[in-house]
Structures are given as C-alpha cells and as structure tokens.
Amino acid sequence: MDKTYEWEVANLPLELQFILECLQPNADTAVIGRRWAGSRLNGEKIIDLARHHRVYPSLYLKLKQLAKPVLPNSVLQTLQQDYYANTLMMLRLSAEMQRVVAALAEHGIRSLQLKGPVIAHELYGDISQRTSKDLDILVPIEDVDRAEAVLEELGYYDRDPAPRLFNDLKWKTHHSCFEHTANHTQIELHWRLSPDAVKEVSFEQLWAQRRIYEQTGSSIPYLGPEHLFHYLVSHGARHGWFRLRWLHDIAQLASACEDGGESLMEETRRNGGAAAVGQALVLARELLGVRLPRELLPLADSPLAHRLVRCIFPFIQETVTISPIPEEKKMALLYKRYTFMLLTSREKLTHFIGKLYPSAWDAQTLPLPKGLHFLYFPLRPFLYFYRRLKQPRKRVSI
C-alpha cells in the first residue's frame, strides 16, 4: 500500500476494512480467517455496510469459505437471505431484459446493455454475484422517441416527464427513467454514456465493437471490454465511488487485463478520461489490493488522479449517499468541488454554457406558448435562481 493512503485507509471503520479485504480479487480466506480471528467486529454494522455498498453477494460467498467463522452465524444467515433475494431479483431483471431487447429489435432499434445481469455474468461469472436495481439500456439518440414509445407499449411510464426545449435532450441530459406499472422494474434509457463529456464515443463505434451475451438463450448486445471499463469508471467517478460495488467491478476488470492494459491505455488516449481512470486504478490498488497492469501505471501516477482519490475518501468513510448530491451541506459542497475537478477545460466551458441555456425545468417553472419559447433565453437566470430560492435544500436542475 502507498504510504500516502495508509492514514486514510486506517481511518475507515474496522468493519469496512474487513469487507474490503474480503472483496480483494485474490483474497486468501485462510489469511483472512487468521487475521480477523478474535477481532471485535460489529456484525450489524457489517450487514449495514454490505447493504449500503451493495456488495453482500460477494461478501456472503467469501464468508462461506472461511474455515473458522469470524462473525456470528446470524450475520451469515442475514447475508444469505440477502443473497437469495438478490438472485431472484437478477433472474427477474434477466427475463425483463430479454423481453425489452426483443421488443426494441422488432421495431428496428439497436440497443446495448450497459450494466445489469449481463455485466454481472461478464465480471463475476454468475448473475447472482452482483446487485442491480434496474436495467441500463443505450440506444442511438435518433431512436430515443421510438424507444420510449416501445417501453410505453410494454407497460412502462416515464418517472419524471418534462417538456423538452430547443433540443435540450442532447444538451442537458443523458438518460430518462422508466418504471413498469405492474412489476415495478426500472429502466434507464440512455442516449449518451455520461452527462458532461464533450468528447464521447459514438453509438456506431460502440456498436461496431459490441459483444453478444447468449447465456439466456437470446442474443443480448453489450459493450466491448475497453468501452465497458471506461463506462464503469465514468459512472463510478461521477458518483464519487460512494458504493464499493462500482470499485469492485473495476478491480475485476483491471485484474483480468490479458494484454497488460495496452488496449485500455490506447482507448484512454483516444477518448480521454485519464484522470478518472487513474483515480479508479489507485482506489482499486489501495482499497482492494489490485496489482495494476504495467501499461496503466502512468495513469495511476497522475497528480490529478491522486487529488481526486483524496476527495472521495470522506464519501466512503462516512457512507455518504449521493443521489444526486449528499444531503449534509458540508459533504454537498465537497461533492460539487470534486465533480468540477473531474471535468476537463472544455467540459467546464460546456458546463457554464449549459447553465445559460434554457431547459425543460424552465418550462415547468414558467409555462409559455411555443411561440414565446425564445423568451426563456433572457429569462433563464431569473428562473434558475427562483428555483434555488424555492428549494434551497434540494438539488436544482439546470
């Protein structure tokens, strides 16, 4: 472990340190049993942390392998129940994924799975070993309206419908959230991989390098290995890695690099995101003991990557939930500074321009006839600050 991070890791709750050791890709159960035998671990806290970080399937399976249990049997039984419940959830999501992908294909709409059961099987070899609360599906932006119509035909509704102004679908957001009226399955329909990136891989590039998941008896397209790595890094970094599940995914991918990280390094050079990739690699090394591929070491040595790492330790240490920003004011300010650090110079410029550009929220705040929509441009600053005054403790959409 880098001495730079010894204090931060040592300052994490003892129970979280135990969970991190169990999650290491090459964790030795005999060593874990000896190291933690007789320790005063709080079983209830371990359960709470495992649920918060969504890592209870992997933790349960690791604890089962210990020759001498270091936790009360009641803890293992609770984690077992969570594991079985998650297995049923993943089976339901898997069936729904097949149904939705087939329906989209029938309407000539190409789609790519971003996470969910496919990624669970890809990373862990079994869909029961990763949690997912929804399906994340990417479609070409020109097919978004048709894809939304297909979802509505299947019984889904938009959980947060809002009018669209001046094509702000492309400018302001990257996905919509849908929920099924009967079975309550949730789907995030994406047309971009991330909300802030100026430079992003096109759907055609992603489609050209797609892989096919066939474990379900259907052909389910999903991201190629390099694109999957960068998407998961971008997603985890954007959320401050407040769930260790995302970092566990990165550890699995980084440990499985067969070419020493060469292809990942090349993809990073082409499409950016070096700071976030470096941050993810440092976290995987320091928290999960991953031996980084030689080609990726320059990214992990980046000063900006290390500054980003230090920024997110409070989120992990305090088990902060960022959805979309922490409730506690101090953490919210830290998170805003952190996410701004993630942006490149061009992305920061785009971010500021975006604040001046009208959004659907302006139309909700002050509905105007279509012929007067041009007035949203001069009214934009007033409407934005009005929302901030009306909802001071909540995130105000831009």
Side-chain angles (χ1 to χ4, degrees):
M1 180 181 294
D2 188 331
K3 290 184 179 180
T4 307
Y5 299 105
E6 282 183 354
W7 182 86
E8 283 91 345
V9 174
N11 206 38
L12 295 175
L14 193 64
E15 289 77 13
L16 187 55
Q17 294 182 45
F18 172 73
I19 290 173
L20 286 168
E21 189 168 340
C22 290
L23 294 180
Q24 292 183 10
N26 299 312
D28 187 325
T29 53
V31 172
I32 294 173
R34 287 195 301 271
R35 185 195 301 271
W36 294 93
S39 59
R40 296 183 177 180
L41 293 169
N42 185 318
E44 289 300 318
K45 190 168 184 179
I46 284 178
I47 292 170
D48 290 343
L49 285 168
R51 287 172 172 171
H52 170 78
H53 289 290
R54 306 289 195 264
V55 294
Y56 48 84
S58 296
L59 180 62
Y60 164 68
L61 293 174
K62 186 65 66 176
L63 292 177
K64 273 185 62 179
Q65 297 173 18
L66 296 181
K68 293 183 178 180
V70 298
L71 293 169
N73 191 51
S74 59
V75 175
L76 196 63
Q77 289 176 346
T78 300
L79 292 174
Q80 182 186 56
Q81 292 170 3
D82 288 351
Y83 173 80
Y84 288 155
N86 179 66
T87 300
L88 292 174
M89 174 67 173
M90 295 299 283
L91 288 171
R92 287 196 295 270
L93 281 177
S94 185
E96 190 66 4
M97 174 183 67
Q98 295 178 66
R99 188 172 81 103
V100 171
V101 170
L104 291 170
E106 285 175 7
H107 287 78
I109 301 171
R110 296 172 295 169
S111 64
L112 290 164
Q113 296 298 305
L114 299 179
K115 290 186 289 181
V118 168
I119 306 310
H121 188 274
E122 165 70 17
L123 299 184
Y124 302 96
D126 188 330
I127 63 172
S128 68
Q129 293 189 36
R130 187 185 189 276
T131 65
S132 291
K133 72 177 181 64
D134 57 18
L135 298 171
D136 292 76
I137 302 176
L138 179 73
V139 299
I141 191 165
E142 61 271 15
D143 290 333
V144 169
D145 290 340
R146 292 200 300 137
E148 290 179 342
V150 170
L151 290 179
E152 289 172 2
E153 288 177 10
L154 293 175
Y156 286 85
Y157 68 94
D158 192 337
R159 295 176 60 193
D160 192 18
R164 293 168 184 167
L165 292 174
F166 308 111
N167 206 24
D168 69 339
L169 178 70
K170 295 180 181 179
W171 183 257
K172 294 275 187 181
T173 56
H174 68 298
H175 72 264
S176 294
C177 299
F178 288 81
E179 183 172 338
H180 198 276
T181 54
N183 61 35
H184 303 292
T185 301
Q186 296 178 20
I187 290 179
E188 286 191 359
L189 184 68
H190 293 247
W191 48 90
R192 293 171 59 202
L193 293 177
S194 59
D196 297 312
V198 173
K199 185 179 182 181
E200 187 170 275
V201 183
S202 70
F203 183 89
E204 296 305 326
Q205 289 174 284
L206 297 173
W207 184 259
Q209 297 179 44
R210 71 192 182 279
R211 290 175 288 176
I212 302 297
Y213 175 76
E214 295 180 329
Q215 297 294 321
T216 59
S218 304
S219 295
I220 309 292
Y222 69 109
L223 297 177
E226 291 78 24
H227 293 147
L228 175 62
F229 181 87
H230 277 267
Y231 170 69
L232 293 177
V233 164
S234 173
H235 180 269
R238 191 167 67 249
H239 290 84
W241 302 101
F242 79 90
R243 294 207 196 283
L244 290 175
R245 175 185 64 188
W246 304 321
L247 190 59
H248 196 209
D249 293 343
I250 299 304
Q252 297 296 118
L253 285 166
S255 299
C257 284
E258 296 179 354
D259 62 353
E262 222 172 287
S263 55
L264 288 176
M265 192 68 177
E266 183 58 34
E267 180 66 23
T268 303
R269 290 193 189 101
R270 278 197 304 266
N271 295 296
V277 172
Q279 178 202 38
L281 294 173
V282 173
L283 287 168
R285 180 179 64 194
E286 301 303 323
L287 296 183
L288 296 176
V290 175
R291 295 186 63 182
L292 300 181
R294 176 178 51 82
E295 288 287 336
L296 298 177
L297 289 177
L299 295 173
D301 292 336
S302 157
L304 177 55
H306 284 267
R307 289 201 299 274
L308 292 172
V309 168
R310 285 190 288 272
C311 281
I312 63 91
F313 262 101
F315 304 146
I316 296 175
Q317 181 179 334
E318 302 295 335
T319 58
V320 172
T321 298
I322 300 169
S323 56
I325 62 173
E327 291 184 5
E328 203 268 317
K329 187 176 181 180
K330 181 180 177 182
M331 287 294 182
L333 291 173
L334 177 60
Y335 177 69
K336 288 180 179 179
R337 285 197 296 268
Y338 159 72
T339 51
F340 194 68
M341 285 174 62
L342 277 174
L343 303 178
T344 64
S345 297
R346 289 184 62 192
E347 288 168 348
K348 288 174 183 174
L349 178 61
T350 303
H351 176 77
F352 283 123
I353 293 173
K355 287 187 176 292
L356 301 174
Y357 198 89
S359 74
W361 299 102
D362 296 324
Q364 286 190 333
T365 305
L366 180 65
L368 291 174
K370 189 172 183 179
L372 297 178
H373 279 186
F374 68 91
L375 292 176
Y376 286 121
F377 282 95
L379 290 172
R380 167 67 173 161
F382 303 101
L383 296 174
Y384 174 72
F385 285 109
Y386 173 77
R387 287 195 297 276
R388 288 186 67 88
L389 290 171
K390 292 289 286 185
Q391 298 177 311
R393 294 189 179 180
K394 296 182 180 180
R395 178 185 182 229
V396 177
S397 300
I398 64 170

